[in-house]
Amino acid sequence: MPDVITVRVQMDSDSFQDVAVKIERPTYCKPFLGGFKNRMTGVEFHNAGSQTIPKKRPEKGTTLFCRETQTVFEKNKYNQTTNPTSTQMTKRGLYVSVMSDKIITPGKYLTAEEYHKRRLEAVIVLQKYFRRWYARNLVQNLKEKKRLRLAWEAQEELQRQKEKEDKLRREHERRLNPKTKEDFELLYHALELWRQEETEQINRTLTGAERKAALCGLLEEETQLIASIGRHKLNADEENQQKAVLRFLDKCAQPKRWKAYDGKITEMDTQYTLRARELLEIYRSVSMNNIPKDERIDVLLTLKHTAKEHECELTQEIVELIDREIDLMSRAVKECNLEGLRKRICTLFLQYIKTPKFNPEVAKILKVPPDPLKLYKNVHFCRSCKNYLPSTEFPVPANSRSTGRCHLCCKLGNEAQQRESFLKYRLILEHLRKSEADYQDDAKIVFLVQQQDLQYMIENIWGCQSALSACSDLYDLVMVRWDKQQEWSPWNTIFLTKEEADAHLKLHNLQEAYEAVFIHRIKHKHIQAKKHFAQIPVMTSFLHRGDKQANAS
């Protein structure tokens, strides 16, 4: 039904008038007021109600509730006891004993005020016991939380001490048995610290000819230590080279893998992967030492049969060397005299494996030299070693104006002069890049910053210490975002310990969490970083974009 209807009203006997009637729709559901039904016609008639809007009651400011009442329905029912009994009273001619009767006397009359007072006293007693129980439970919970907190702090302290001891133990083992480039950096750094301490002690205690003699002795001892480190480096390079070869061959022998729609990994071996795996097993057998003579001959015959599959100058040389070793072994030549021959066989067989014609799978892993015309565009001259190298072999810090020295010359210069250890800066940079990759917001600046740039920030801007606790142990310090809503950059970072960094990343409002003086000090460091990194052309675009985002926010 529309909101406005037209009704024709008869004014006189001959005149009618159309009247517009506006219908008010009720804002509530009208109750059913009853009615009746015509049995003859079946028509239902309902009792009518007015459309008058009920008058609203004035608001009293208190919440009112309706209470339902329930009418008690009484019903009389007669019950008969199981055992009929009777009572007997004392009368003339009959005596009933009253020994077991009780005399009940009325007590003191209890008024309403006294009754409510007694109820209030009972409520107070209940409240006292309840509050005592609640307070005791609260104190017990606080004690339990305190105990758990102290136990957690003690466990964390033990964990930190254990990690520190493990770190010191690993550093000690790395110095005793250096294998990687970082291990030798630590070794040279320790050597430099020892030399400085000895030099200071000699200058402080001796003078004249005795001082010169002590310095000469120190120089000779330092020379012997450097020679010992060099011998360790040669052994480590040989071992690392062998491991690198095995990793390379194992990578060639890996089957093809792809991920299905259900998340399962499917592996498939091709004829090329099977060929690479067969060559890997032969190389491992040939490279083994101290094996019985019969097994060595079987391995050499297998290698000879494999090499004869292709006729070329390389395979002919391998076959000739195999025949020579078998002939020498048949003459009972000592194994120490066969080491050079066996190394030649391994080297030539490795060259055989790296040939795509004999091992097609290796073609996908070998680094194919690029077009020389394209290579000339990225070649730079190293002023130290006088070699022309690609641009990837040169470090490019923020304050550099030219390519300078290559990585190898920088490494040799550090071992000869400064002898600094960059492991701690490398760990901080790796942790920073890993944490930024977890944000998955397409961060780019963190991958443009090099190790030298991070070292400059830590030493010259942050002073090699935490911004909050002034902790100076770089192995426990990390860099995180100052404002986690924006991408990391040298002007949006803070240098903290690992525990402080976890707490900082949980903050939602930096202005409320830190004091204005601390925020001003951090902003000043950000301005210093902007001034330094504005020298890089690539960084300039990110710098302008960060300024626009800051102004917009």
Side-chain angles (χ1 to χ4, degrees), residues 380-399:
H380 298 278
F381 179 71
C382 178
R383 296 182 178 87
S384 180
C385 61
K386 308 300 181 181
N387 291 327
Y388 289 92
L389 302 171
S391 58
T392 55
E393 298 295 330
F394 292 87
V396 185
N399 55 355

Side-chain angles (χ1 to χ4, degrees), residues 238-502:
E238 184 178 357
E239 184 179 355
N240 293 335
Q241 184 179 3
Q242 184 66 18
K243 290 181 179 179
V245 170
L246 292 177
R247 283 197 302 267
F248 174 80
L249 299 180
D250 186 68
K251 189 176 181 181
C252 296
Q254 291 296 324
K256 306 295 182 182
R257 292 187 178 90
W258 64 86
K259 192 173 184 180
Y261 67 94
D262 55 354
K264 295 182 179 179
I265 303 297
T266 305
E267 296 184 355
M268 181 186 70
D269 281 319
T270 63
Q271 57 179 351
Y272 298 146
T273 58
L274 293 176
R275 172 68 175 177
R277 196 173 304 163
E278 178 185 358
L279 295 176
L280 172 61
E281 295 299 329
I282 296 175
Y283 181 81
R284 284 180 176 172
S285 302
V286 172
S287 302
M288 291 177 62
N289 297 323
N290 301 324
I291 61 175
K293 182 179 179 180
D294 297 337
E295 294 183 6
R296 178 68 184 180
I297 294 175
D298 292 339
V299 171
L300 292 176
L301 293 178
T302 305
L303 175 57
K304 181 179 179 180
H305 177 72
T306 304
K308 279 187 176 182
E309 295 177 359
H310 302 86
E311 290 293 336
C312 65
E313 185 177 351
L314 177 62
T315 55
Q316 291 177 2
E317 188 175 358
I318 293 175
V319 171
E320 290 178 1
L321 293 177
I322 291 173
D323 294 338
R324 187 184 305 175
E325 182 178 354
I326 294 175
D327 182 54
L328 292 175
M329 290 175 63
S330 63
R331 298 181 183 184
V333 178
K334 295 182 180 180
E335 291 188 0
C336 59
N337 298 328
L338 297 176
E339 290 182 359
L341 180 59
R342 291 176 178 179
K343 287 183 180 180
R344 286 185 62 191
I345 294 175
C346 290
T347 304
L348 292 177
F349 184 57
L350 179 61
Q351 184 179 353
Y352 174 87
I353 295 175
K354 289 185 177 181
T355 305
K357 181 181 178 181
F358 309 139
N359 186 13
E361 190 67 21
V362 80
K364 301 179 181 179
I365 304 177
L366 285 176
K367 295 182 179 179
V368 181
D371 187 5
L373 297 178
K374 296 181 180 179
L375 185 63
Y376 292 155
K377 298 179 182 179
N378 295 324
V379 171
H380 298 278
F381 179 71
C382 178
R383 296 182 178 87
S384 180
C385 61
K386 308 300 181 181
N387 291 327
Y388 289 92
L389 302 171
S391 58
T392 55
E393 298 295 330
F394 292 87
V396 185
N399 55 355
S400 64
R401 298 296 181 182
S402 60
T403 54
R405 298 186 300 173
C406 61
H407 286 293
L408 182 59
C409 294
C410 293
K411 176 186 174 183
L412 294 176
N414 180 51
E415 293 177 358
Q417 298 175 359
Q418 295 87 3
R419 295 176 183 172
E420 295 182 1
S421 176
F422 302 104
L423 177 62
K424 45 186 176 295
Y425 303 108
R426 193 176 298 112
L427 293 177
I428 294 174
L429 183 59
E430 290 177 359
H431 179 274
L432 177 60
R433 289 179 175 175
K434 183 179 179 181
S435 62
E436 286 298 308
D438 294 338
Y439 280 103
Q440 297 181 355
D441 56 355
D442 195 19
K444 297 180 181 179
I445 302 179
V446 67
F447 298 101
L448 296 176
V449 175
Q450 301 299 318
Q451 178 182 316
Q452 294 84 355
D453 303 328
L454 190 71
Q455 181 179 357
Y456 176 84
M457 291 173 56
I458 294 174
E459 293 180 353
N460 299 296
I461 297 178
W462 296 99
C464 295
Q465 62 182 8
S466 170
L468 280 175
S469 59
C471 177
S472 58
D473 189 2
L474 293 181
Y475 289 102
D476 293 336
L477 298 177
V478 293
M479 270 195 176
V480 294
R481 297 183 179 185
W482 168 251
D483 184 4
K484 62 181 180 181
Q485 303 299 330
Q486 299 181 6
E487 178 185 356
W488 182 92
S489 60
W491 48 90
N492 183 36
T493 184
I494 186 171
F495 199 45
L496 301 171
T497 62
K498 296 178 180 179
E499 293 80 7
E500 294 169 353
D502 294 338

Side-chain angles (χ1 to χ4, degrees), residues 5 45 77 96 134 138 172 179 194 202 207 220 241 261-262 285 314 317 348 368 397 416 443 456 496 524 552:
I5 61 175
F45 299 91
K77 184 177 181 180
V96 179
Y134 181 76
L138 182 62
H172 183 67
K179 296 181 181 180
W194 170 81
I202 291 173
T207 58
E220 292 179 359
Q241 184 179 3
Y261 67 94
D262 55 354
S285 302
L314 177 62
E317 188 175 358
L348 292 177
V368 181
Y456 176 84
L496 301 171
H524 178 67

